[in-house]
Amino acid sequence: MSRAHRIALVLAFSIALAAHSNSFAQIGPVAPAPAGPLDPPERDRRIPAVPVDWMQFSSTSPDSPRTAAPAVSTANASKLRLFWRSSLPETADTSPVYVSGVPTPDGAHDLLIVGTNRGRVIAIDAHNGLTVWSHAPPPGPQYTTASPAVDPNGQWVYAYGLDGFVHKYAIGNGTESLGNGWPELVTLKGDVEKASSALSIATARDGSTHLYITVAGYPDPGDAGDYQGHLTAIDLKTGAQKVFNANCSNMDFHLIENGDETSDCLSVQSGIWARSGVVYDPVTDRIFLTTGNGPYDANSGGFNWGTSIIALRPDGSAGAGTPLDSYTPVDFQQLTDEDADLGSTTVAIIPLPKNSRLPRLAIQSGKDWRLRLVNLEDLSGQGGPRHLGGEIQILPVPQGNEVDTRPATWLSPATDKSWVFVANDNGIAAFTLESTKSGPRLQQRWLRSDGGKTPIIANGVLYFASDHQIMALNPASGAVLWKDKSLGTIHWQSPIIVNGILYISDNAGFISAYGTGKPQTSE
């Protein structure tokens, strides 16, 4: 079902409700403006406002000024205030997703969907914080920090359960889809392997759509146990899966715990745990993931890919265990020995001006206090995988310390400049991409000592959260536009901002909503 069909369905559903009720939520686009000459302010006011959805983890918002609620910009960010705050059954150390105009048994709702550490999925009315539906989490050991994802048609939400499977729920009422392969297997080692990263979905150039979920180990007792970071890619049309193991990539199936050489890998612990586990790039039509510390021997013909960026086909496949491309630092062994690997982050694609002649560029940070500028069209600079080095630029993290958050990237519409923002516990730094005689280079523009987690950028405003605080900054200068100090502590949580409302969960077990105007209602 296309978005246009879904909106039409919601409109029909709302009209039917109106026959039995005096009031209901207004869903769908506003009526189009009448024909005739209009001055610019009047024309802007009458162009239809189309709801925007945020359907998976991202550090760049799909939001725009033409949303149903007043957009937040540098001009009015100072007016942000708390709209509502709701208590969750348990902590959600994740980021929420948002889908507008969802038909539910009690009417159409704009839904904020949250995954908790226990694997519970909760759908919340985005305008008042009340629960629309929830379900008992699948039982299993340990916990998860994987954010859910919604399919492109807005009909299903996918979430990892502690039972080692990814589950599929109807977005309107939370009913689980069973059969035809669902729930889908993610790991046979649920006691030692954890889904850390946000789930993601991408539609490839050939029209196929895949769900991606990666796993790593648990931090306690600390990089221990028989785990192998791996990717499970699921074709959402057929349910078929492909598995890529960071250790023993020639074994393209789910490994069993403490098995033999035919069913398990003797190499261990190259976890895939960055906030964004898999990044799809439509330009190269490839997916990218970054592995953690662990053995690496691919440059000598082996199948262990620790401390590397890996490029795969959109369906998650490799050629007999060999990726399409790879990047591994020349000092990979030292990084592994010092637990200073790249796996704390993955690539963040840098948007370029329309007429740019630069290659497809991305920023890769990590635990080694350094940033790497890489070419996604040729990661190693040598035309293929199994090589060492090849980065375009290496530079220190200006504020110091490891980076275990996702950088945000932005193309400024005012200057056509490409920006990169890197936050960690020591502060947040901003860079612009510059063309030099030596090639493209990142140049530092500003630095703040305010520490924080994964930043996001929306409509020309930069947001990031830290313990007990969330801030909005001017991305061009780093100037503070707004600050709120009423949150709980923050771990992997990062905000989203959609249709003019900012949402974030915290470790105190709450989810909060902030806006600038009058709060919308669902009644």
Side-chain angles (χ1 to χ4, degrees), residues 327 350 362-366 368-374 391-401 403 420 422 429-433 440-445:
Y327 165 81
I350 300 174
I363 184 72
Q364 171 72 54
S365 51
D368 67 342
W369 297 37
R370 289 183 287 180
L371 307 173
R372 291 171 171 83
L373 185 64
V374 296
E391 68 281 333
I392 296 172
Q393 180 187 16
I394 297 181
L395 64 163
V397 175
Q399 62 267 44
N401 210 342
V403 179
V420 173
V422 179
F431 306 82
T432 55
L433 183 66
R441 293 290 185 271
L442 290 174
Q443 181 176 329
Q444 183 182 330
R445 291 301 177 186

Side-chain angles (χ1 to χ4, degrees), residues 374-451:
V374 296
N375 178 0
L376 295 183
E377 297 174 281
D378 187 5
L379 286 169
S380 66
Q382 300 179 63
R386 299 185 179 276
H387 300 288
L388 298 180
E391 68 281 333
I392 296 172
Q393 180 187 16
I394 297 181
L395 64 163
V397 175
Q399 62 267 44
N401 210 342
E402 67 181 55
V403 179
D404 54 14
T405 64
R406 178 167 174 76
T409 59
W410 177 55
L411 181 63
S412 169
T415 63
D416 235 15
K417 277 284 187 182
S418 302
W419 288 74
V420 173
F421 306 94
V422 179
N424 65 9
D425 289 341
N426 277 25
I428 183 168
F431 306 82
T432 55
L433 183 66
E434 305 294 337
S435 294
T436 73
K437 293 181 179 179
S438 301
R441 293 290 185 271
L442 290 174
Q443 181 176 329
Q444 183 182 330
R445 291 301 177 186
W446 54 260
L447 174 67
R448 293 190 60 90
S449 61
D450 307 273

